[in-house]
Amino acid sequence: MRTSDTIVRLDRLQKRYGTVVAVEEMSLAVPRGELLCLLGPSGCGKTTTLKMIAGFVPPSGGRILIDESDVTGVPAHRRDTGMVFQNYALFPHLTVAENIAFAPRNVGMKRDETRRRVDELLELVQLGGLARRYPAELSGGQQQRVALARALALRPAVLLLDEPLSNLDARLRMQMRDELRGLVSRLGTTTLLVTHDQEEALAMADRIVVMNKGAVEQIGSPDEIYERPTSRFVAEFIGRCNLLPVRPGNGGVVLADGTGIAIDGPVPADAGLLAVRPEHVTLAVPGSTALVGRVIRAVYHGAVTHLYLDAAGTEILADIPSAAARSVPTGTAVGIVFDPGHIRILP
Ligand code: ATP
């Protein structure tokens, strides 16, 4: 990547609160136009990272570069970033239009230009008729749009969104997810979005940074993160996953009960865990496979049924088309096959 393609660069960025390490030496390059999701469980340091980039939390170490200039000591309002807070933080005593006009007025933008900018942003977030309303007179989704318009008012190089959809109900969240993704693509604004919702990250991100206890666990595109997790933490945190203890052996790996499983490609010497998603587990006639089990429970989900299988004391989850699942009622002995192309061997 040419350096000029990088719009945000974190260089060993760190934050400590006393003895708590909120963010551990984080390094990251975000290319222009990317939508990057910071994903991880509560308390892993996502918000702290975002607030350090925005300039609201001073780092304990490391540097932040925006468009290749070091902004580590630069105040928030001079960083060319726009931020949407989790609770939106709209000014309650200002109308929608005044909220959006706040930053442009502060930097001395002319009245006409400010008015044009506000109209354009209201149009962009589809709030045309609500310019004179106060935040308290808006729904959660409308407040979210105002916060977004306000963050975009100075056309920032980088948009920072902290759990922007978490206060919306499930249906609206799905709708706003698609809308937000579309809006960010149309504007081409580089966006860093914090979420603890793995589905949201998979659906929206160009790349995902999975964080755990203040450190980066894995960085990759949604399908890399989902299909090729590099650690137990990522495999468990993103989607549902079967995780079986194994050791290398028999030219593949061997399960705890001695069953050998064939693996595509070489088996690392430190192999300790086999990860396979339920959708990559299929059933076969008993006797035709190395691994056998019994159906213990079936949970119907419409097109697919989640089958819970017991294989010599190990629970294995298989997502099976519901039509096929009907022919294997609880108690049926089945052969179990892991799709070799989708088995991951972890340390
Ligand atoms: P959430 O999804 O719950 O917001 P998060 O991943 O955004 O979590 P942070 O808010 O960044 O996590 O917090 C990271 C760690 O730093 C946590 O252990 C938190 O308790 C601690 N922390 C955050 N802010 C402060 C503060 N002002 N003083 C002391 N500790 C803090």
Side-chain angles (χ1 to χ4, degrees):
M1 195 190 302
R2 296 196 329 268
T3 48
S4 59
D5 287 340
T6 296
I7 186 82
V8 179
R9 187 184 296 280
L10 308 183
D11 176 23
R12 287 169 296 155
L13 188 64
Q14 196 193 72
K15 182 67 191 180
R16 285 185 309 268
Y17 291 105
T19 55
V20 176
V21 180
V23 178
E24 224 175 76
E25 303 218 332
M26 183 166 174
S27 294
L28 184 67
V30 187
R32 205 175 290 277
E34 182 169 73
L35 196 164
L36 183 86
C37 281
L38 300 177
L39 174 68
S42 184
C44 72
K46 310 177 294 287
T47 299
T48 303
T49 303
L50 206 68
K51 285 185 175 167
M52 286 195 282
I53 298 169
F56 299 120
V57 166
S60 314
R63 297 187 309 155
I64 301 161
L65 292 91
I66 295 180
D67 217 356
E68 296 303 332
S69 89
D70 189 334
V71 299
T72 317
V74 172
H77 66 277
R78 289 180 37 217
R79 284 197 183 188
D80 208 4
T81 57
M83 178 144 172
V84 175
F85 296 89
Q86 189 168 358
N87 58 5
Y88 313 141
L90 297 174
F91 304 119
H93 58 291
L94 299 183
T95 63
V96 166
E98 288 164 350
N99 262 281
I100 300 171
F102 187 83
R105 278 185 187 150
N106 250 357
V107 299
M109 193 186 281
K110 298 248 165 49
R111 279 179 79 95
D112 282 1
E113 199 188 344
T114 302
R115 190 166 308 148
R116 253 181 284 132
R117 183 69 60 88
V118 169
D119 287 345
E120 181 188 301
L121 284 160
L122 284 170
E123 178 103 351
L124 186 75
V125 299
Q126 300 166 35
L127 284 179
L130 304 181
R132 289 169 193 282
R133 293 251 191 113
Y134 286 89
E137 300 165 342
L138 301 174
S139 73
Q142 290 165 341
Q143 290 182 30
Q144 206 267 349
R145 287 165 206 237
V146 178
L148 190 60
R150 189 180 60 175
L152 290 168
L154 292 178
R155 298 197 177 126
V158 183
L159 183 61
L160 303 169
L161 308 173
D162 188 6
E163 302 265 8
L165 308 178
S166 65
N167 287 339
L168 307 177
D169 66 49
R171 182 180 292 263
L172 192 57
R173 197 179 318 144
M174 297 285 267
Q175 184 197 329
M176 287 302 291
R177 185 197 280 179
D178 296 346
E179 244 177 58
L180 188 56
R181 169 75 258 197
L183 185 93
V184 163
S185 307
R186 275 203 310 285
L187 294 173
T189 308
T190 309
T191 302
L192 275 71
L193 185 153
V194 160
T195 181
H196 64 270
D197 180 338
Q198 38 115 355
E199 272 184 42
E200 194 169 295
L202 291 174
M204 293 184 77
D206 293 314
R207 272 191 316 156
I208 298 173
V209 177
V210 183
M211 292 180 69
N212 179 23
K213 294 181 187 151
V216 173
E217 277 274 338
Q218 190 173 351
I219 303 179
S221 64
D223 71 298
E224 272 165 3
I225 296 282
Y226 185 82
E227 297 286 349
R228 294 190 291 285
T230 54
S231 67
R232 174 181 197 132
F233 177 83
V234 175
E236 274 184 322
F237 189 71
I238 315 284
R240 292 145 58 242
C241 200
N242 292 296
L243 291 165
L244 311 175
V246 293
R247 57 183 166 79
N250 291 7
V253 292
V254 179
L255 299 181
D257 71 350
T259 308
I261 304 280
I263 299 296
D264 274 358
V267 175
D270 65 351
L273 210 55
L274 178 154
V276 64
R277 303 256 179 220
E279 65 267 31
H280 297 129
V281 179
T282 50
L283 302 186
V285 179
S288 67
T289 61
L291 192 60
V292 292
R294 199 168 284 282
V295 179
I296 357 176
R297 197 152 59 92
V299 181
Y300 179 69
H301 281 266
V304 295
T305 292
H306 296 176
L307 290 184
Y308 293 79
L309 310 169
D310 174 57
T314 301
E315 186 176 87
I316 295 170
L317 196 56
D319 291 356
I320 305 292
S322 289
R326 269 180 219 115
S327 62
V328 286
T330 305
T332 310
V334 291
I336 302 170
V337 182
F338 299 153
D339 178 350
H342 288 96
I343 293 175
R344 297 284 302 161
I345 299 299
L346 304 174

